[in-house]
Amino acid sequence: MPLPPLMGRQLPVIGHFPYIHGIGADSFGFFLDGYRQHGRIFAVRDTFNTFAVLLGPEANRFVLERETPHLSWGAAYGAEGSRVMGPTAMALQDGEEHRRRRAPMMSSFRHQNIAAFCDTMVELARSQTGTWKEGQPFDFVGEVSELTFRVACAFLLGVQVGEDYPRFRDIYKKMFRPVGLALQAAGLPYMQRYRDQLGRLSASWIADRRAHPREDIISRLLEAGLEDKDVMAQVLMLMFAGHDTTKLSLSWTLATLHQHPEYLKRVLAEQEEVLGDGAITAESMKSLPVLERAIREANRLYPPVSLARRGVLEEFELGGYTVPKGWKVMYLPRVSHQLPDVFKEPERYDPDRFAPPREEHKQPYAMVEFGGGYRTCIGKELALFEAKVVLSYLLRTFTFELVPGQRIEAANSGAMTSPKNGVKVIAKRTGRRVPMEKAA
C-alpha cells in the first residue's frame, strides 16, 4: 500500500514545523485544509520526523481503543516530556509501567470521592469570586485558572490555601510558563532550579503521608511502592492535566453560552427548576442535562487538548495506506470534531446534537475530548463534575456580560485550544447565596 500523501506548504529544511508545534501558525486551519485536500489520512513532516495525521472515529479507535504493539506514547514524547514532567510520568509510559502508575490512582477518582468533594468546590468558588468587583471588566480565563488550580491542589494533593499552597503555586506557574516549556523541550535546563525547589517542598508532603496516610494521590502512590521522585512526576502530570484542561473547558463553556443567549436561558431555567434556592449537591448535578450538553458542545468545538502524538514501533496499515516504523502519528480531536459526516453542520453551536434522539456523539470515538479506550483521561468524571458545580455556582450568584467589541477566538496553535485574547467579562452579583450541602 502507498504512503499517506504529503501535505503541501512546506518550508525549506523545517517542513511543516510551525504547524506541527504551533509556533506562529494557524495549526487548526492547516490540518483542516489537509483533511479537505487529502481526506482522513495524510502526512506532514518537520526537521527530524514524519507524522501520519489520522482523523475521524475509526482512526481515533485505532489509536485509542486498546494497547497495541504498533504505537507508543513514550516514543512520541519521551525525551521532550521527561524534560518537562520527569521520565517516569504516567503519560510517558507504555504497557506494564503505565498500568503500575495508573492503578493506585484510580481509587482516588471513584465517584464517591468526587461527590464528597462537592462542598469544597463550592467553598473554593465562593472564596475565589469574593474579591470580584462589580461592573469592572476582567479576564475570566485568568480567574477560573486560579480557581481550578486551587481545586486541583485540594483534591489531588490535599494541599489547601494557607498551607504550602502559595509556594507550590509560585513554583508551578514558573515551571509551566510557555517560554519555559519551549526552552525545556528544546533541551535547555530551564526547569532544574524549580524541580529542586519542588523537591524540597514535596519532601515534607511525602514524609507527612508516610507517617499519616490520607485519601489523596500522594498516599496512594506511596502505598504502591513508588519512589519519591516518581510520586512527584505523577503529581506534576495530574496538576497539568487537571488544572489547565478544566480552566479551558469552563472558559469556553461560559463564553459560548453568552454568545448564544437563547440556550443560556434554557440553562438558567434548568438551574432554577433543579436547584432553586437549595444547595449544590452531587445528586443534583446528575439532573442538569441542558448544562451538560452546553459543556459537551464547548468541548467539541474547542477541546482543551487539540492534538496528541504516538510513536510508531511497528509498520501498520490503515485506510488504504502504510505507515512505516519510525514515523509518528498525530490524532487531532478538534479537527476530528469538525467532520461533517460525523457531526451535522459541525461549525455551528448546537448543544442539542447531544440530546436524544440525535445523539451524534454516540458513534464510538466520535468525541475524544478525554481521549478514549484503555487510556481514557483518569480525571474525566472529575472534570465534568467540577465544570457543572462551578458553572452552577457562578450562574446562580452572578450575571455575566461579555465585554463588547472583543474577539473571542481560539489561538489555533499548539496542543491546547486556548482563547487567543482571553474572555473579558463584566460580572454583577444576583444577591443569591448558595448554601453548603452539609449546612442545608
Side-chain angles (χ1 to χ4, degrees), residues 130-277:
T131 58
W132 288 3
K133 296 181 180 178
E134 287 197 54
Q136 293 190 11
F138 63 90
D139 181 19
F140 184 80
V141 180
E143 286 294 319
V144 83
S145 175
E146 180 67 21
L147 173 56
T148 57
F149 193 83
R150 290 184 177 189
V151 171
C153 280
F155 184 85
L156 298 174
L157 311 182
V159 176
Q160 293 277 14
V161 177
E163 298 176 15
D164 290 323
Y165 174 83
R167 285 181 61 206
F168 177 61
R169 180 188 179 281
D170 182 62
I171 295 169
Y172 179 93
K173 294 292 184 182
K174 288 176 179 176
M175 286 183 72
F176 286 93
R177 287 172 179 162
V179 65
L181 286 172
L183 291 171
Q184 189 69 27
L188 299 175
Y190 170 83
M191 288 192 179
Q192 191 56 53
R193 60 185 292 195
Y194 301 117
R195 282 190 182 285
D196 292 343
Q197 293 174 22
L198 183 60
R200 291 190 291 271
L201 177 61
S202 64
S204 63
W205 300 345
I206 291 172
D208 175 72
R209 302 309 192 278
R210 289 192 192 279
H212 309 287
R214 303 186 195 176
E215 294 292 322
D216 61 20
I217 295 291
I218 295 177
S219 296
R220 298 298 187 196
L221 292 171
L222 290 172
E223 289 168 6
L226 272 66
E227 296 180 359
D228 293 6
K229 287 185 178 180
D230 202 347
V231 170
M232 289 317 300
Q234 313 320 315
V235 166
L236 278 178
M237 178 207 66
L238 288 174
M239 285 298 301
F240 182 76
H243 151 60
D244 286 276
T245 58
T246 306
K247 81 175 182 187
L248 294 177
S249 180
L250 285 166
S251 298
W252 284 119
T253 301
L254 187 100
T256 51
L257 276 174
H258 286 79
Q259 289 173 325
H260 300 88
E262 290 304 313
Y263 196 86
L264 175 60
K265 288 179 184 177
R266 292 170 56 188
V267 169
L268 295 175
E270 178 185 68
Q271 291 276 312
E272 198 62 38
E273 178 182 350
V274 174
L275 297 173
D277 291 321

Side-chain angles (χ1 to χ4, degrees), residues 102 223 226 277 279 334 397 416 421:
R102 184 181 175 103
E223 289 168 6
L226 272 66
D277 291 321
R334 191 176 175 206
T397 54
M416 309 292 284
N421 304 302

